[in-house]
Amino acid sequence: DTSMARTASEEPIIRRFWHRVPWLLLGLAGAILAADIVRFFERELQANVMIAFFIPGIVYLADAVGTQTEALIIRGLSVGVPIGSVLRREILTGLMIGLTLAMVFYPIGVWRWGGDGIVLAVALAIFGACATANLVALALPWILHRLGVDPAFGSGPLATVVQDLLSIGIYLGIATAILD
């Protein structure tokens, strides 16, 4: 709501710090967990190091899609727009964005790196990671809002952690399934 947004915009530095740092510590824990997920796929990465080249791009795209969705949802929640009124349109938009990015990447990937399974794995992971990020970005601000927590502080960092972990897991899982 607007009073929560105004309060967050005008609060003192120490309060801003304490509203933000716990979420960022959660992000640090997520980074540690992400390293564990990557380590789980160590054998596949050693067999085909090229798999690692695409992790940052897939994670970035999912985060960017999620950030766009979060901004729209948080803005809507702050002015009283119920999540149900945007849910279907935003889910379909996320699927379309994921599909578009995957379809744009695939021919470029084939041209740059050949037609092997890695390009297909990346394209499928882009689609899956972007669609999943969209769902996470829809759900988390709404859940935080329902719990009375200002989604402006928690949604971004929490969604980023969840999206990063899901994106890495989706990609490495798909790459392992296709390349084994």
Side-chain angles (χ1 to χ4, degrees):
D1 78 4
T2 33
S3 66
M4 193 182 292
R6 178 169 298 284
T7 301
S9 296
E10 297 173 345
E11 66 188 5
I13 294 169
I14 292 297
R15 192 158 194 189
R16 285 175 187 263
F17 174 82
W18 286 113
H19 275 135
R20 293 164 72 174
V21 80
W23 298 106
L24 298 171
L25 290 170
L26 183 66
L28 180 60
I32 293 166
L33 187 55
D36 287 338
I37 291 171
V38 172
R39 184 178 60 186
F40 180 79
F41 291 95
E42 184 176 0
R43 184 182 61 79
E44 289 80 7
L45 289 162
Q46 285 178 344
N48 188 348
V49 73
M50 192 171 181
I51 294 171
F53 299 171
F54 297 99
I55 292 173
I58 293 166
V59 168
Y60 162 76
L61 288 171
D63 285 346
V65 168
T67 299
Q68 289 176 332
T69 301
E70 287 163 35
L72 291 169
I73 297 304
I74 291 170
R75 183 188 312 157
L77 289 170
S78 74
V79 295
V81 176
I83 192 116
S85 67
V86 295
L87 186 65
R88 182 178 163 273
R89 287 178 298 184
E90 196 56 37
I91 288 172
L92 291 174
T93 302
L95 290 170
M96 289 171 54
I97 288 170
L99 184 60
T100 299
L101 293 171
M103 288 174 36
V104 168
F105 169 79
Y106 188 77
I108 295 169
V110 168
W111 171 67
R112 295 282 311 265
W113 297 285
D116 65 354
I118 188 76
V119 172
L120 177 60
V122 171
L124 291 173
I126 288 171
F127 173 73
C130 289
T132 304
N134 190 275
L135 294 174
V136 169
L138 279 165
L140 288 178
W142 178 76
I143 291 168
L144 291 174
H145 182 74
R146 295 284 302 220
L147 294 173
V149 176
D150 186 352
F153 290 115
S155 314
L158 183 56
T160 298
V161 169
V162 172
Q163 291 163 358
D164 289 356
L165 296 174
L166 287 172
S167 298
I168 292 168
I170 287 168
Y171 171 51
L172 295 176
I174 289 172
T176 299
I178 289 176
L179 298 173
D180 271 353

